Amino acid sequence: MPAQRDPCSTDIFCAFRCMYRYFKCLTAIETRFPISNEKGNVRISFPWTDAFRPNKRTSQYNIHFEKAAVLFDVAAVLSQQALQVERSAAEGITQAGKLFQVCNGFMHSIMHPGDMTWQAVLIFWQRTSSAS
């Protein structure tokens, strides 16, 4: 029996929804459990592989780093989608521009985590993508 492909590997909106759900789970966990490497806290290791050196792995006990990494991944996926939009017509340029704006909002959220920009970005994206 052939291996089934993950549907989120080819569907940008599915990938976004999966990452967004994971981000929401991290946010919920963060409010209930103190996660760190300090004594008395919950020790959850978040492993990562270097994209440029796949054989190099790292692991951290920092939920804030994990949340920032998820937001970065969301922005990367959205920027890739924006680059793949056919921009020879005005409609395509508008769609790509909206995707880049959403990507920028997520990047802003990484640099300013307390201002909840990612929620505003999500609302903007939901409204503009449903209008298209």
Side-chain angles (χ1 to χ4, degrees):
M1 185 160 148
Q4 293 182 350
R5 286 190 70 158
D6 178 13
C8 289
S9 66
T10 56
D11 180 6
I12 186 74
F13 298 108
C14 180
F16 175 81
R17 284 190 303 273
C18 289
M19 287 187 277
Y20 176 66
R21 276 196 304 260
Y22 179 57
F23 184 85
K24 284 177 54 175
C25 288
L26 288 172
T27 302
I29 289 170
E30 177 185 27
T31 61
R32 290 171 177 79
F33 305 103
I35 298 173
S36 75
N37 203 16
E38 295 176 13
K39 187 175 181 173
N41 288 348
V42 179
R43 291 189 68 206
I44 299 176
S45 175
F46 298 102
W48 281 92
T49 304
D50 189 321
F52 300 107
R53 293 177 280 168
N55 57 349
K56 183 173 183 193
R57 292 182 52 93
T58 187
S59 178
Q60 294 200 13
Y61 297 96
N62 187 335
I63 196 165
H64 302 292
F65 180 80
E66 180 73 2
K67 287 172 62 177
V70 171
L71 291 176
F72 180 86
D73 288 347
V74 168
V77 167
L78 292 174
S79 68
Q80 277 300 113
Q81 181 65 23
L83 288 172
Q84 293 176 4
V85 170
E86 177 59 47
R87 296 180 305 276
S88 61
E91 180 181 299
I93 293 171
T94 301
Q95 184 182 5
K98 287 178 183 178
L99 285 167
F100 279 125
Q101 285 177 331
V102 173
C103 171
N104 183 42
F106 280 106
M107 293 302 247
H108 176 82
S109 295
I110 294 170
M111 296 180 69
H112 307 282
D115 68 6
M116 305 302 275
T117 304
W118 65 270
Q119 291 178 336
V121 169
L122 181 64
I123 292 167
F124 169 78
W125 190 36
Q126 289 172 336
R127 288 182 183 165
T128 58
S129 62
S130 64
S132 310

